[in-house]
Amino acid sequence: MDVDVFVAAHQAQWARLEQLLGRGRRLTGEEADELVSLYQRTSTHLSLIQSSAPDPMLVGRLTQLVARARAAITGARRASWRDAARFFTAGFPAAVYRSRRWWIPTAVLSIAVGVLLGWWIAGNPEAQSVIAAPDDLRRLTQPGGEYETYYSSHPAASFAAKVWTNNAQAAAMCLVLGAFLGLPVLWILFLNMANLGVGIGLMASAGRLDVFLGLILPHGLLELTAVFVAAGMGLRLGWTVIDPGPRTRRAALAEQGRAALGMAIGLALILFVSGLIEGFVTPSGLPTWARIAIGVAAEAAFLVYVYVLGGRAARAGDVGDVEEADQTATLPTAA
């Protein structure tokens, strides 16, 4: 393509589009129709330039012009309470539901790794000696030891905030780093399961596994589920880099990236609930069965939320993406 000839042929249309966009008054019906027609033509021109003769200055000029025209046609839209309600009742649970084929296997395999590692540590004194010295191990696992006092070592409110921040960061890292083919996500999962396995192994070797489970289950069920969901979404994002499916890789990554961003917001709220349980319920004086029952109820409520609201929204076609009107146009329409 001869760029100079192309510019000469269409310069008048671009200038007219800029003139319409620069009007300080409302357009007439005829002018509005002309604006839409010129927007469509200019979008096609931009697509042709990008694919045939990517001139950086011309691409930048037409991109800005198309963006201005699209904003003028669609109008600016502000986020509202309706958007927030739609996100929490449809978008977020639909994204979690649609990614269940990733996070459920991730959860099963991760828990299996943690349990097997704990079983190996519990029956292997050599491994325990590598983890810590005998006196340190007793300080960790004995009645009133560090495993038990950890949850009551700080005021409940500040402890819950600290836990929430740490877990939200871990979930966000899984979502963001998933674009690197998912490899960093696997490492984050392994570190989490290694910590769990060490706790299981050391407390089991001291004959106090029931105490450990009574401390970890109230908040751990919901907390680990949120981490597994984030990890599953991160792995799905990584796989999209490898296999985008029938869409272009750019379009597929854009959709998955927007869904991942929304999921980060939703999971932050879920982890906030988990942090409250860990800060106020886990160290409380409630009987063990009552604390575990609260954790099971929170986990069950989340799963019902995902499978009922999320399943319904997913079957209706919601993929957890932003509304179509807020998405960037991916296929210009020729006039």
Side-chain angles (χ1 to χ4, degrees), residues 176-227:
V176 172
L177 298 179
F180 296 95
L181 304 182
L183 297 179
V185 177
L186 297 176
W187 177 245
I188 293 171
L189 279 175
F190 175 75
L191 292 179
N192 275 274
M193 292 304 102
N195 287 332
L196 177 64
V198 168
I200 291 174
L202 294 181
M203 291 294 276
S205 68
R208 308 192 70 238
L209 181 60
D210 57 332
V211 175
F212 180 77
L213 294 178
L215 291 170
I216 204 73
L217 288 178
H219 64 273
L221 291 172
L222 189 59
E223 176 185 300
L224 286 177
T225 300
V227 172

Side-chain angles (χ1 to χ4, degrees), residues 105-124:
T106 297
V108 172
L109 292 175
S110 298
I111 292 173
V113 168
V115 171
L116 289 174
L117 182 61
W119 172 77
W120 178 71
I121 291 175
N124 195 326

Side-chain angles (χ1 to χ4, degrees), residues 90-159:
F92 172 59
V96 178
Y97 180 83
R98 290 177 64 90
S99 63
R100 68 192 185 283
R101 293 184 177 86
W102 286 91
W103 62 264
I104 291 178
T106 297
V108 172
L109 292 175
S110 298
I111 292 173
V113 168
V115 171
L116 289 174
L117 182 61
W119 172 77
W120 178 71
I121 291 175
N124 195 326
E126 292 80 7
Q128 298 172 27
S129 64
V130 171
I131 294 171
D135 289 342
D136 293 329
L137 292 177
R138 283 192 293 272
R139 188 168 60 251
L140 284 169
T141 59
Q142 67 185 0
E146 293 182 11
Y147 271 124
E148 292 184 48
T149 59
Y150 169 75
Y151 297 101
S152 56
S153 57
H154 297 88
S158 62
F159 183 70

Side-chain angles (χ1 to χ4, degrees), residues 2 7 27 40 75 77 96 111 135 156 163 167 170 174 176 182 187 202 211 224 251 258 271 277 283 295 298 313:
D2 190 319
V7 171
L27 300 178
Q40 293 174 330
R77 193 176 71 84
V96 178
I111 292 173
D135 289 342
V163 168
N167 290 331
C174 285
V176 172
W187 177 245
L202 294 181
V211 175
L224 286 177
R258 290 190 298 265
L271 287 168
I277 296 174

